[in-house]
Amino acid sequence: MSKQESLSRREWLYYSSLLASGVALSQTACQRPAGTSSAPSSSTAPTPAPVSPAQEIALRGADAVLAKLPSVLPNRAPDNWQWIENRPAKVGLLMISTAAPFLAGYRKAFDIEAKRLNLEVIALDANNDPARQAAQAEDLIGKRVDVLCFWPVDAKAIVPSVRKAYEAGIPLVCTNSWTEESVLPFFRSFIGASMVEEGIIGAQLMAEALHGQGKVAIIEGNPGQDAAYWRSTAFIDELKRIAPKIQILDRQTARWDRARATAVAENYLTTYQDLNAIMAQDDNMAVGALQAIKAAGRLQQVKLISINSSKEGLEAILAGEMYGSCTQSPSFEGINTARVARDVANGWPPVPRWVRNPVMRVDKTNARQVFGEW
Amino acid sequence: MIRRFLARGNSRRLLLLAALVVGISTFEIRFIQPDNLRNVLLQMSMDGIVACGLTLVILCGGLDLSVGAVTALSGVLFVTALPLGIGFAGLLALLAGASVGLLNGLLIGKIRLNALIVTLGTMAVVQGAAFWLSRGNPIPGPGGDFEMLGGGSFLYIPLPILFFGLVALSAHLLLQHTQFGRDLYALGGNREAARLADIAVESRECWAYILCALLAAFSGMILASRLNTGSPIIGQDTPLQAIAAIVLGGTSLSGGRGGIISTVIGMAMIAVLSNGLNLLNVSPAYQWGIKGSVLILVAGLDSARRHSTLRSTQPTQP
């Protein structure tokens, strides 16, 4: 039995050689870029025919040409000058998921801007799981990133991770959704919209659409996420204030997911025969709900209000299928998160405490002017 | 003991694990720094505790998909019941877990319903209970001492790692050195033969499910303390992670073959892979693919090897 169970000599040899070749391969792969970068500069020296500066720029790039020109400014700034430089930095980004179109738009903008700003991005996807996000935060703290950007899945569950990162001395940035208040002072900056403002605009649109009375059901985003909480809370509070006759029948989560939103809306439509309106907390879910409303043939009876304008959402508003929504640009947040991260990493003072994503009311009158990003 | 630890499959997997570690750390030296290794261990602890329990069930030929929902329910229950005292709350959470396990065990062991179907059903029911109890929202914990269970440490070792070590050790001893453990192997190997050998098949199976759910509930308590939140959406991919770890470790899904050490090694492989891929800045889209391919590759190699050894030994037998 022991002969069977223990590893044979041939197998040991096989695995150790596999291991050794793996290490050797990875070593050479690591070293190659360093070797290649220094080699060609000396070998391409002989250029007999004189070329014009314009040709030279075309051939060798502007940097090479500018380096040969006598510099107007001194190479080294005088001691009493303040100057800034754009050092390359490692930026960690903890995202809630990548599965929603808003997030894809955000991520694309963030990546483009980060590349331009010489940032190395490590973006992780928590797939809507707070426990996984906590693990990913630990990974990035272990990696010692220069800046860590949080997009919390759950405003409260992220608190221990934020505290851990802060204690590790990593500068923190919060984006899109806030964390719980107790750790907000740990963040250098917040980049995102006011969810309260969005909820209030939603309530105003709703009061208009229903002329002050009716029955409403809400489709919510991730439970525990700041965006979902405040969009609902502000919406309900504002409605109570401006249109006390409007009644909230139900609120259920579809977790920012279109298919789930369709299912939730179908349930609403069958349960509440007297339903007057549905409020969806983002356009992705609103489009899902719209499909359910259309399928039920109650487009005339059931109004739809949404938040943050997608292409499909704007089309639905123009077609008269959706009453209105408000803007929240994902690329604004993505680009500015990358910029703030660069500023924080380089220690450029001062970073704004809140880079506020403008929220604008969108309805049939101005939907044509709004640019749908996603 | 050491011989058994380095059983053929396990030593092969340890080598694979070592190759992973060496490979990742040549690209990213931070990987093997103590802080990061501690992170890896910490991250595998919660799912690892669940996987240890699930190993018992899988060894006796069953399957439990409800473990993830049980972690969610126990976390929510633990935080909700905290005002009644932490000991009472913990007991309540464990009790809830145990009763789910008992239900699974009775339905599967006594009534002989299909394990996949039963636990799929209990998963939905338990998930629903967690949502009902929390009204769909995460429940914040009180912080302070409550966070010690998942966030505290003893001699620089985080408590979850110690718990995981203890659970793994006692599960290993249970499997290898008690009649109960031997019975589980026998049951997974051949149920009818086990019954003919006078093993109390139903009660053994039932206990396996109870232990599994208990450990899942314990893991949920640690998780709730670690996040300082009782969240109903937690642990949705826990059963898949745990099953992947068990399969990676070389435990057979049809039962009767494998052990806790294999599961721990499998869990370590998954944890090293996900931490390493994160450190190496591999895009999340590729991470899914890489993890899935590794799982299929390892399981496939295993199966191919088993078939080839079977074929080579057949002619020698009369």
mmCIF file with all atom_site columns, all heavy atoms in Angstrom, chain A residues 5 11 15 121 132 135 138-139 143 154 223, chain B residues 8 12 28 43 136 226 237 275 278-279 281 305:
data_model
loop_
_atom_site.group_PDB
_atom_site.id
_atom_site.type_symbol
_atom_site.label_atom_id
_atom_site.label_alt_id
_atom_site.label_comp_id
_atom_site.label_asym_id
_atom_site.label_entity_id
_atom_site.label_seq_id
_atom_site.pdbx_PDB_ins_code
_atom_site.Cartn_x
_atom_site.Cartn_y
_atom_site.Cartn_z
_atom_site.occupancy
_atom_site.B_iso_or_equiv
_atom_site.pdbx_formal_charge
_atom_site.auth_seq_id
_atom_site.auth_comp_id
_atom_site.auth_asym_id
_atom_site.auth_atom_id
_atom_site.pdbx_PDB_model_num
ATOM 1   N N   . GLU A 1 5   ? 0.972   4.370  -2.533  1.00 0.00 ? 5   GLU A N   1
ATOM 2   C CA  . GLU A 1 5   ? 0.540   5.692  -2.044  1.00 0.00 ? 5   GLU A CA  1
ATOM 3   C C   . GLU A 1 5   ? 1.625   6.747  -2.242  1.00 0.00 ? 5   GLU A C   1
ATOM 4   O O   . GLU A 1 5   ? 1.343   7.869  -2.593  1.00 0.00 ? 5   GLU A O   1
ATOM 5   C CB  . GLU A 1 5   ? 0.176   5.608  -0.565  1.00 0.00 ? 5   GLU A CB  1
ATOM 6   C CG  . GLU A 1 5   ? -1.034  4.769  -0.292  1.00 0.00 ? 5   GLU A CG  1
ATOM 7   C CD  . GLU A 1 5   ? -2.319  5.554  -0.502  1.00 0.00 ? 5   GLU A CD  1
ATOM 8   O OE1 . GLU A 1 5   ? -2.556  6.473  0.286   1.00 0.00 ? 5   GLU A OE1 1
ATOM 9   O OE2 . GLU A 1 5   ? -3.066  5.251  -1.441  1.00 0.00 ? 5   GLU A OE2 1
ATOM 10  N N   . GLU A 1 11  ? 7.936   10.351 -10.858 1.00 0.00 ? 11  GLU A N   1
ATOM 11  C CA  . GLU A 1 11  ? 6.977   11.459 -10.734 1.00 0.00 ? 11  GLU A CA  1
ATOM 12  C C   . GLU A 1 11  ? 7.606   12.659 -10.047 1.00 0.00 ? 11  GLU A C   1
ATOM 13  O O   . GLU A 1 11  ? 7.396   13.793 -10.446 1.00 0.00 ? 11  GLU A O   1
ATOM 14  C CB  . GLU A 1 11  ? 5.752   10.997 -9.957  1.00 0.00 ? 11  GLU A CB  1
ATOM 15  C CG  . GLU A 1 11  ? 4.702   10.432 -10.868 1.00 0.00 ? 11  GLU A CG  1
ATOM 16  C CD  . GLU A 1 11  ? 3.447   10.127 -10.107 1.00 0.00 ? 11  GLU A CD  1
ATOM 17  O OE1 . GLU A 1 11  ? 3.541   9.403  -9.085  1.00 0.00 ? 11  GLU A OE1 1
ATOM 18  O OE2 . GLU A 1 11  ? 2.403   10.607 -10.502 1.00 0.00 ? 11  GLU A OE2 1
ATOM 19  N N   . TYR A 1 15  ? 7.717   16.329 -11.683 1.00 0.00 ? 15  TYR A N   1
ATOM 20  C CA  . TYR A 1 15  ? 7.125   17.547 -11.118 1.00 0.00 ? 15  TYR A CA  1
ATOM 21  C C   . TYR A 1 15  ? 8.175   18.590 -10.811 1.00 0.00 ? 15  TYR A C   1
ATOM 22  O O   . TYR A 1 15  ? 7.971   19.787 -11.011 1.00 0.00 ? 15  TYR A O   1
ATOM 23  C CB  . TYR A 1 15  ? 6.324   17.214 -9.871  1.00 0.00 ? 15  TYR A CB  1
ATOM 24  C CG  . TYR A 1 15  ? 4.987   16.633 -10.207 1.00 0.00 ? 15  TYR A CG  1
ATOM 25  C CD1 . TYR A 1 15  ? 4.683   15.310 -9.953  1.00 0.00 ? 15  TYR A CD1 1
ATOM 26  C CD2 . TYR A 1 15  ? 4.029   17.426 -10.829 1.00 0.00 ? 15  TYR A CD2 1
ATOM 27  C CE1 . TYR A 1 15  ? 3.479   14.784 -10.300 1.00 0.00 ? 15  TYR A CE1 1
ATOM 28  C CE2 . TYR A 1 15  ? 2.815   16.909 -11.179 1.00 0.00 ? 15  TYR A CE2 1
ATOM 29  C CZ  . TYR A 1 15  ? 2.535   15.592 -10.919 1.00 0.00 ? 15  TYR A CZ  1
ATOM 30  O OH  . TYR A 1 15  ? 1.325   15.068 -11.265 1.00 0.00 ? 15  TYR A OH  1
ATOM 31  N N   . VAL A 1 121 ? -3.595  50.259 -12.854 1.00 0.00 ? 121 VAL A N   1
ATOM 32  C CA  . VAL A 1 121 ? -4.880  50.005 -12.210 1.00 0.00 ? 121 VAL A CA  1
ATOM 33  C C   . VAL A 1 121 ? -5.014  48.536 -11.833 1.00 0.00 ? 121 VAL A C   1
ATOM 34  O O   . VAL A 1 121 ? -4.717  47.656 -12.635 1.00 0.00 ? 121 VAL A O   1
ATOM 35  C CB  . VAL A 1 121 ? -6.049  50.383 -13.144 1.00 0.00 ? 121 VAL A CB  1
ATOM 36  C CG1 . VAL A 1 121 ? -7.374  50.091 -12.477 1.00 0.00 ? 121 VAL A CG1 1
ATOM 37  C CG2 . VAL A 1 121 ? -5.950  51.831 -13.522 1.00 0.00 ? 121 VAL A CG2 1
ATOM 38  N N   . ARG A 1 132 ? -16.705 38.917 -0.115  1.00 0.00 ? 132 ARG A N   1
ATOM 39  C CA  . ARG A 1 132 ? -15.647 38.878 -1.112  1.00 0.00 ? 132 ARG A CA  1
ATOM 40  C C   . ARG A 1 132 ? -14.952 40.224 -1.216  1.00 0.00 ? 132 ARG A C   1
ATOM 41  O O   . ARG A 1 132 ? -13.744 40.308 -1.382  1.00 0.00 ? 132 ARG A O   1
ATOM 42  C CB  . ARG A 1 132 ? -16.240 38.483 -2.459  1.00 0.00 ? 132 ARG A CB  1
ATOM 43  C CG  . ARG A 1 132 ? -15.176 38.380 -3.518  1.00 0.00 ? 132 ARG A CG  1
ATOM 44  C CD  . ARG A 1 132 ? -15.751 38.013 -4.827  1.00 0.00 ? 132 ARG A CD  1
ATOM 45  N NE  . ARG A 1 132 ? -16.281 36.661 -4.820  1.00 0.00 ? 132 ARG A NE  1
ATOM 46  C CZ  . ARG A 1 132 ? -16.635 36.035 -5.925  1.00 0.00 ? 132 ARG A CZ  1
ATOM 47  N NH1 . ARG A 1 132 ? -16.528 36.626 -7.068  1.00 0.00 ? 132 ARG A NH1 1
ATOM 48  N NH2 . ARG A 1 132 ? -17.114 34.830 -5.872  1.00 0.00 ? 132 ARG A NH2 1
ATOM 49  N N   . ALA A 1 135 ? -12.373 40.542 1.430   1.00 0.00 ? 135 ALA A N   1
ATOM 50  C CA  . ALA A 1 135 ? -11.167 39.774 1.089   1.00 0.00 ? 135 ALA A CA  1
ATOM 51  C C   . ALA A 1 135 ? -10.335 40.525 0.061   1.00 0.00 ? 135 ALA A C   1
ATOM 52  O O   . ALA A 1 135 ? -9.105  40.580 0.158   1.00 0.00 ? 135 ALA A O   1
ATOM 53  C CB  . ALA A 1 135 ? -11.556 38.399 0.557   1.00 0.00 ? 135 ALA A CB  1
ATOM 54  N N   . GLU A 1 138 ? -8.377  43.290 1.551   1.00 0.00 ? 138 GLU A N   1
ATOM 55  C CA  . GLU A 1 138 ? -7.160  42.779 2.194   1.00 0.00 ? 138 GLU A CA  1
ATOM 56  C C   . GLU A 1 138 ? -6.069  42.498 1.161   1.00 0.00 ? 138 GLU A C   1
ATOM 57  O O   . GLU A 1 138 ? -4.897  42.788 1.395   1.00 0.00 ? 138 GLU A O   1
ATOM 58  C CB  . GLU A 1 138 ? -7.490  41.499 2.956   1.00 0.00 ? 138 GLU A CB  1
ATOM 59  C CG  . GLU A 1 138 ? -8.045  41.770 4.329   1.00 0.00 ? 138 GLU A CG  1
ATOM 60  C CD  . GLU A 1 138 ? -8.824  40.583 4.855   1.00 0.00 ? 138 GLU A CD  1
ATOM 61  O OE1 . GLU A 1 138 ? -8.824  39.519 4.215   1.00 0.00 ? 138 GLU A OE1 1
ATOM 62  O OE2 . GLU A 1 138 ? -9.440  40.734 5.922   1.00 0.00 ? 138 GLU A OE2 1
ATOM 63  N N   . ASP A 1 139 ? -6.465  41.932 0.030   1.00 0.00 ? 139 ASP A N   1
ATOM 64  C CA  . ASP A 1 139 ? -5.474  41.651 -1.010  1.00 0.00 ? 139 ASP A CA  1
ATOM 65  C C   . ASP A 1 139 ? -4.756  42.928 -1.437  1.00 0.00 ? 139 ASP A C   1
ATOM 66  O O   . ASP A 1 139 ? -3.540  42.946 -1.571  1.00 0.00 ? 139 ASP A O   1
ATOM 67  C CB  . ASP A 1 139 ? -6.156  41.044 -2.248  1.00 0.00 ? 139 ASP A CB  1
ATOM 68  C CG  . ASP A 1 139 ? -6.585  39.612 -2.009  1.00 0.00 ? 139 ASP A CG  1
ATOM 69  O OD1 . ASP A 1 139 ? -6.201  39.062 -0.964  1.00 0.00 ? 139 ASP A OD1 1
ATOM 70  O OD2 . ASP A 1 139 ? -7.300  39.059 -2.858  1.00 0.00 ? 139 ASP A OD2 1
ATOM 71  N N   . LYS A 1 143 ? -0.933  44.205 -1.136  1.00 0.00 ? 143 LYS A N   1
ATOM 72  C CA  . LYS A 1 143 ? -0.184  44.598 -2.329  1.00 0.00 ? 143 LYS A CA  1
ATOM 73  C C   . LYS A 1 143 ? 0.440   45.990 -2.157  1.00 0.00 ? 143 LYS A C   1
ATOM 74  O O   . LYS A 1 143 ? 1.282   46.385 -2.936  1.00 0.00 ? 143 LYS A O   1
ATOM 75  C CB  . LYS A 1 143 ? -1.156  44.573 -3.508  1.00 0.00 ? 143 LYS A CB  1
ATOM 76  C CG  . LYS A 1 143 ? -0.665  45.148 -4.791  1.00 0.00 ? 143 LYS A CG  1
ATOM 77  C CD  . LYS A 1 143 ? -0.380  44.082 -5.806  1.00 0.00 ? 143 LYS A CD  1
ATOM 78  C CE  . LYS A 1 143 ? 0.021   44.716 -7.124  1.00 0.00 ? 143 LYS A CE  1
ATOM 79  N NZ  . LYS A 1 143 ? 0.661   43.777 -8.015  1.00 0.00 ? 143 LYS A NZ  1
ATOM 80  N N   . ASP A 1 154 ? -21.729 47.201 0.433   1.00 0.00 ? 154 ASP A N   1
ATOM 81  C CA  . ASP A 1 154 ? -22.591 47.385 1.586   1.00 0.00 ? 154 ASP A CA  1
ATOM 82  C C   . ASP A 1 154 ? -21.944 48.456 2.460   1.00 0.00 ? 154 ASP A C   1
ATOM 83  O O   . ASP A 1 154 ? -20.800 48.312 2.888   1.00 0.00 ? 154 ASP A O   1
ATOM 84  C CB  . ASP A 1 154 ? -22.698 46.052 2.331   1.00 0.00 ? 154 ASP A CB  1
ATOM 85  C CG  . ASP A 1 154 ? -23.666 46.114 3.496   1.00 0.00 ? 154 ASP A CG  1
ATOM 86  O OD1 . ASP A 1 154 ? -23.700 47.145 4.202   1.00 0.00 ? 154 ASP A OD1 1
ATOM 87  O OD2 . ASP A 1 154 ? -24.364 45.134 3.707   1.00 0.00 ? 154 ASP A OD2 1
ATOM 88  N N   . PRO A 1 223 ? -29.630 45.773 -1.598  1.00 0.00 ? 223 PRO A N   1
ATOM 89  C CA  . PRO A 1 223 ? -29.931 46.157 -0.219  1.00 0.00 ? 223 PRO A CA  1
ATOM 90  C C   . PRO A 1 223 ? -28.626 46.439 0.526   1.00 0.00 ? 223 PRO A C   1
ATOM 91  O O   . PRO A 1 223 ? -27.659 45.710 0.368   1.00 0.00 ? 223 PRO A O   1
ATOM 92  C CB  . PRO A 1 223 ? -30.630 44.925 0.351   1.00 0.00 ? 223 PRO A CB  1
ATOM 93  C CG  . PRO A 1 223 ? -30.241 43.806 -0.526  1.00 0.00 ? 223 PRO A CG  1
ATOM 94  C CD  . PRO A 1 223 ? -29.995 44.386 -1.877  1.00 0.00 ? 223 PRO A CD  1
ATOM 95  N N   . ARG B 2 8   ? -0.496  9.587  -2.037  1.00 0.00 ? 8   ARG B N   1
ATOM 96  C CA  . ARG B 2 8   ? -0.129  9.890  -3.420  1.00 0.00 ? 8   ARG B CA  1
ATOM 97  C C   . ARG B 2 8   ? -0.789  11.157 -3.978  1.00 0.00 ? 8   ARG B C   1
ATOM 98  O O   . ARG B 2 8   ? -0.126  12.072 -4.425  1.00 0.00 ? 8   ARG B O   1
ATOM 99  C CB  . ARG B 2 8   ? -0.535  8.692  -4.260  1.00 0.00 ? 8   ARG B CB  1
ATOM 100 C CG  . ARG B 2 8   ? 0.097   8.625  -5.599  1.00 0.00 ? 8   ARG B CG  1
ATOM 101 C CD  . ARG B 2 8   ? -0.479  7.414  -6.273  1.00 0.00 ? 8   ARG B CD  1
ATOM 102 N NE  . ARG B 2 8   ? -0.121  7.403  -7.669  1.00 0.00 ? 8   ARG B NE  1
ATOM 103 C CZ  . ARG B 2 8   ? 0.912   6.734  -8.147  1.00 0.00 ? 8   ARG B CZ  1
ATOM 104 N NH1 . ARG B 2 8   ? 1.687   6.060  -7.330  1.00 0.00 ? 8   ARG B NH1 1
ATOM 105 N NH2 . ARG B 2 8   ? 1.188   6.747  -9.432  1.00 0.00 ? 8   ARG B NH2 1
ATOM 106 N N   . ARG B 2 12  ? 0.963   15.043 -4.624  1.00 0.00 ? 12  ARG B N   1
ATOM 107 C CA  . ARG B 2 12  ? 0.923   15.638 -5.953  1.00 0.00 ? 12  ARG B CA  1
ATOM 108 C C   . ARG B 2 12  ? 0.305   17.034 -5.882  1.00 0.00 ? 12  ARG B C   1
ATOM 109 O O   . ARG B 2 12  ? 0.781   17.986 -6.482  1.00 0.00 ? 12  ARG B O   1
ATOM 110 C CB  . ARG B 2 12  ? 0.100   14.742 -6.864  1.00 0.00 ? 12  ARG B CB  1
ATOM 111 C CG  . ARG B 2 12  ? 0.434   14.920 -8.307  1.00 0.00 ? 12  ARG B CG  1
ATOM 112 C CD  . ARG B 2 12  ? -0.021  13.737 -9.126  1.00 0.00 ? 12  ARG B CD  1
ATOM 113 N NE  . ARG B 2 12  ? -1.352  13.306 -8.810  1.00 0.00 ? 12  ARG B NE  1
ATOM 114 C CZ  . ARG B 2 12  ? -1.694  12.036 -8.600  1.00 0.00 ? 12  ARG B CZ  1
ATOM 115 N NH1 . ARG B 2 12  ? -0.779  11.101 -8.646  1.00 0.00 ? 12  ARG B NH1 1
ATOM 116 N NH2 . ARG B 2 12  ? -2.924  11.702 -8.335  1.00 0.00 ? 12  ARG B NH2 1
ATOM 117 N N   . GLU B 2 28  ? 5.233   38.458 -8.447  1.00 0.00 ? 28  GLU B N   1
ATOM 118 C CA  . GLU B 2 28  ? 4.830   39.476 -7.465  1.00 0.00 ? 28  GLU B CA  1
ATOM 119 C C   . GLU B 2 28  ? 5.375   39.033 -6.107  1.00 0.00 ? 28  GLU B C   1
ATOM 120 O O   . GLU B 2 28  ? 4.807   38.172 -5.444  1.00 0.00 ? 28  GLU B O   1
ATOM 121 C CB  . GLU B 2 28  ? 3.302   39.589 -7.451  1.00 0.00 ? 28  GLU B CB  1
ATOM 122 C CG  . GLU B 2 28  ? 2.718   40.483 -6.380  1.00 0.00 ? 28  GLU B CG  1
ATOM 123 C CD  . GLU B 2 28  ? 3.183   41.918 -6.473  1.00 0.00 ? 28  GLU B CD  1
ATOM 124 O OE1 . GLU B 2 28  ? 2.596   42.682 -7.273  1.00 0.00 ? 28  GLU B OE1 1
ATOM 125 O OE2 . GLU B 2 28  ? 4.117   42.279 -5.735  1.00 0.00 ? 28  GLU B OE2 1
ATOM 126 N N   . GLN B 2 43  ? -8.551  34.456 4.399   1.00 0.00 ? 43  GLN B N   1
ATOM 127 C CA  . GLN B 2 43  ? -9.636  34.399 3.418   1.00 0.00 ? 43  GLN B CA  1
ATOM 128 C C   . GLN B 2 43  ? -10.127 32.983 3.182   1.00 0.00 ? 43  GLN B C   1
ATOM 129 O O   . GLN B 2 43  ? -11.280 32.772 2.851   1.00 0.00 ? 43  GLN B O   1
ATOM 130 C CB  . GLN B 2 43  ? -9.168  35.023 2.108   1.00 0.00 ? 43  GLN B CB  1
ATOM 131 C CG  . GLN B 2 43  ? -9.088  36.523 2.210   1.00 0.00 ? 43  GLN B CG  1
ATOM 132 C CD  . GLN B 2 43  ? -8.244  37.118 1.133   1.00 0.00 ? 43  GLN B CD  1
ATOM 133 O OE1 . GLN B 2 43  ? -7.981  36.497 0.111   1.00 0.00 ? 43  GLN B OE1 1
ATOM 134 N NE2 . GLN B 2 43  ? -7.798  38.343 1.351   1.00 0.00 ? 43  GLN B NE2 1
ATOM 135 N N   . GLY B 2 136 ? -34.677 41.979 4.178   1.00 0.00 ? 136 GLY B N   1
ATOM 136 C CA  . GLY B 2 136 ? -33.910 42.211 2.965   1.00 0.00 ? 136 GLY B CA  1
ATOM 137 C C   . GLY B 2 136 ? -32.740 43.161 3.110   1.00 0.00 ? 136 GLY B C   1
ATOM 138 O O   . GLY B 2 136 ? -31.979 43.342 2.182   1.00 0.00 ? 136 GLY B O   1
ATOM 139 N N   . ARG B 2 226 ? -16.825 39.524 11.323  1.00 0.00 ? 226 ARG B N   1
ATOM 140 C CA  . ARG B 2 226 ? -15.746 40.098 10.522  1.00 0.00 ? 226 ARG B CA  1
ATOM 141 C C   . ARG B 2 226 ? -16.218 41.331 9.771   1.00 0.00 ? 226 ARG B C   1
ATOM 142 O O   . ARG B 2 226 ? -15.499 42.317 9.649   1.00 0.00 ? 226 ARG B O   1
ATOM 143 C CB  . ARG B 2 226 ? -15.278 39.036 9.532   1.00 0.00 ? 226 ARG B CB  1
ATOM 144 C CG  . ARG B 2 226 ? -14.195 39.419 8.583   1.00 0.00 ? 226 ARG B CG  1
ATOM 145 C CD  . ARG B 2 226 ? -13.657 38.136 7.987   1.00 0.00 ? 226 ARG B CD  1
ATOM 146 N NE  . ARG B 2 226 ? -13.428 38.208 6.563   1.00 0.00 ? 226 ARG B NE  1
ATOM 147 C CZ  . ARG B 2 226 ? -12.284 38.612 6.008   1.00 0.00 ? 226 ARG B CZ  1
ATOM 148 N NH1 . ARG B 2 226 ? -11.304 39.001 6.772   1.00 0.00 ? 226 ARG B NH1 1
ATOM 149 N NH2 . ARG B 2 226 ? -12.142 38.620 4.715   1.00 0.00 ? 226 ARG B NH2 1
ATOM 150 N N   . ASP B 2 237 ? -22.159 32.182 -3.200  1.00 0.00 ? 237 ASP B N   1
ATOM 151 C CA  . ASP B 2 237 ? -21.325 31.241 -3.952  1.00 0.00 ? 237 ASP B CA  1
ATOM 152 C C   . ASP B 2 237 ? -20.474 30.377 -3.033  1.00 0.00 ? 237 ASP B C   1
ATOM 153 O O   . ASP B 2 237 ? -19.573 29.699 -3.487  1.00 0.00 ? 237 ASP B O   1
ATOM 154 C CB  . ASP B 2 237 ? -20.474 31.964 -5.005  1.00 0.00 ? 237 ASP B CB  1
ATOM 155 C CG  . ASP B 2 237 ? -19.572 33.003 -4.389  1.00 0.00 ? 237 ASP B CG  1
ATOM 156 O OD1 . ASP B 2 237 ? -19.699 33.206 -3.179  1.00 0.00 ? 237 ASP B OD1 1
ATOM 157 O OD2 . ASP B 2 237 ? -18.764 33.595 -5.122  1.00 0.00 ? 237 ASP B OD2 1
ATOM 158 N N   . ASN B 2 275 ? -6.136  35.084 -4.507  1.00 0.00 ? 275 ASN B N   1
ATOM 159 C CA  . ASN B 2 275 ? -5.297  36.170 -3.996  1.00 0.00 ? 275 ASN B CA  1
ATOM 160 C C   . ASN B 2 275 ? -4.212  36.515 -5.017  1.00 0.00 ? 275 ASN B C   1
ATOM 161 O O   . ASN B 2 275 ? -3.971  37.685 -5.318  1.00 0.00 ? 275 ASN B O   1
ATOM 162 C CB  . ASN B 2 275 ? -4.685  35.745 -2.656  1.00 0.00 ? 275 ASN B CB  1
ATOM 163 C CG  . ASN B 2 275 ? -3.692  36.752 -2.118  1.00 0.00 ? 275 ASN B CG  1
ATOM 164 O OD1 . ASN B 2 275 ? -2.569  36.803 -2.577  1.00 0.00 ? 275 ASN B OD1 1
ATOM 165 N ND2 . ASN B 2 275 ? -4.121  37.556 -1.171  1.00 0.00 ? 275 ASN B ND2 1
ATOM 166 N N   . ASN B 2 278 ? -5.469  38.371 -7.990  1.00 0.00 ? 278 ASN B N   1
ATOM 167 C CA  . ASN B 2 278 ? -5.753  39.752 -7.626  1.00 0.00 ? 278 ASN B CA  1
ATOM 168 C C   . ASN B 2 278 ? -4.472  40.572 -7.571  1.00 0.00 ? 278 ASN B C   1
ATOM 169 O O   . ASN B 2 278 ? -4.409  41.691 -8.063  1.00 0.00 ? 278 ASN B O   1
ATOM 170 C CB  . ASN B 2 278 ? -6.452  39.826 -6.269  1.00 0.00 ? 278 ASN B CB  1
ATOM 171 C CG  . ASN B 2 278 ? -7.919  39.486 -6.370  1.00 0.00 ? 278 ASN B CG  1
ATOM 172 O OD1 . ASN B 2 278 ? -8.434  39.336 -7.467  1.00 0.00 ? 278 ASN B OD1 1
ATOM 173 N ND2 . ASN B 2 278 ? -8.578  39.368 -5.246  1.00 0.00 ? 278 ASN B ND2 1
ATOM 174 N N   . LEU B 2 279 ? -3.440  40.004 -6.940  1.00 0.00 ? 279 LEU B N   1
ATOM 175 C CA  . LEU B 2 279 ? -2.176  40.737 -6.824  1.00 0.00 ? 279 LEU B CA  1
ATOM 176 C C   . LEU B 2 279 ? -1.544  40.949 -8.197  1.00 0.00 ? 279 LEU B C   1
ATOM 177 O O   . LEU B 2 279 ? -0.930  41.973 -8.449  1.00 0.00 ? 279 LEU B O   1
ATOM 178 C CB  . LEU B 2 279 ? -1.199  39.971 -5.944  1.00 0.00 ? 279 LEU B CB  1
ATOM 179 C CG  . LEU B 2 279 ? -1.499  39.897 -4.453  1.00 0.00 ? 279 LEU B CG  1
ATOM 180 C CD1 . LEU B 2 279 ? -0.292  39.413 -3.703  1.00 0.00 ? 279 LEU B CD1 1
ATOM 181 C CD2 . LEU B 2 279 ? -1.914  41.248 -3.906  1.00 0.00 ? 279 LEU B CD2 1
ATOM 182 N N   . ASN B 2 281 ? -3.003  41.474 -10.806 1.00 0.00 ? 281 ASN B N   1
ATOM 183 C CA  . ASN B 2 281 ? -3.821  42.395 -11.590 1.00 0.00 ? 281 ASN B CA  1
ATOM 184 C C   . ASN B 2 281 ? -4.403  41.729 -12.827 1.00 0.00 ? 281 ASN B C   1
ATOM 185 O O   . ASN B 2 281 ? -4.371  42.278 -13.918 1.00 0.00 ? 281 ASN B O   1
ATOM 186 C CB  . ASN B 2 281 ? -2.994  43.623 -11.985 1.00 0.00 ? 281 ASN B CB  1
ATOM 187 C CG  . ASN B 2 281 ? -3.864  44.746 -12.489 1.00 0.00 ? 281 ASN B CG  1
ATOM 188 O OD1 . ASN B 2 281 ? -5.082  44.670 -12.383 1.00 0.00 ? 281 ASN B OD1 1
ATOM 189 N ND2 . ASN B 2 281 ? -3.253  45.772 -13.024 1.00 0.00 ? 281 ASN B ND2 1
ATOM 190 N N   . ARG B 2 305 ? -5.705  9.660  -14.710 1.00 0.00 ? 305 ARG B N   1
ATOM 191 C CA  . ARG B 2 305 ? -4.719  8.845  -14.014 1.00 0.00 ? 305 ARG B CA  1
ATOM 192 C C   . ARG B 2 305 ? -5.374  7.608  -13.410 1.00 0.00 ? 305 ARG B C   1
ATOM 193 O O   . ARG B 2 305 ? -4.858  6.501  -13.474 1.00 0.00 ? 305 ARG B O   1
ATOM 194 C CB  . ARG B 2 305 ? -4.069  9.685  -12.923 1.00 0.00 ? 305 ARG B CB  1
ATOM 195 C CG  . ARG B 2 305 ? -2.962  8.998  -12.185 1.00 0.00 ? 305 ARG B CG  1
ATOM 196 C CD  . ARG B 2 305 ? -2.381  9.952  -11.181 1.00 0.00 ? 305 ARG B CD  1
ATOM 197 N NE  . ARG B 2 305 ? -1.811  11.116 -11.854 1.00 0.00 ? 305 ARG B NE  1
ATOM 198 C CZ  . ARG B 2 305 ? -0.545  11.166 -12.237 1.00 0.00 ? 305 ARG B CZ  1
ATOM 199 N NH1 . ARG B 2 305 ? 0.235   10.135 -12.035 1.00 0.00 ? 305 ARG B NH1 1
ATOM 200 N NH2 . ARG B 2 305 ? -0.081  12.241 -12.824 1.00 0.00 ? 305 ARG B NH2 1
#
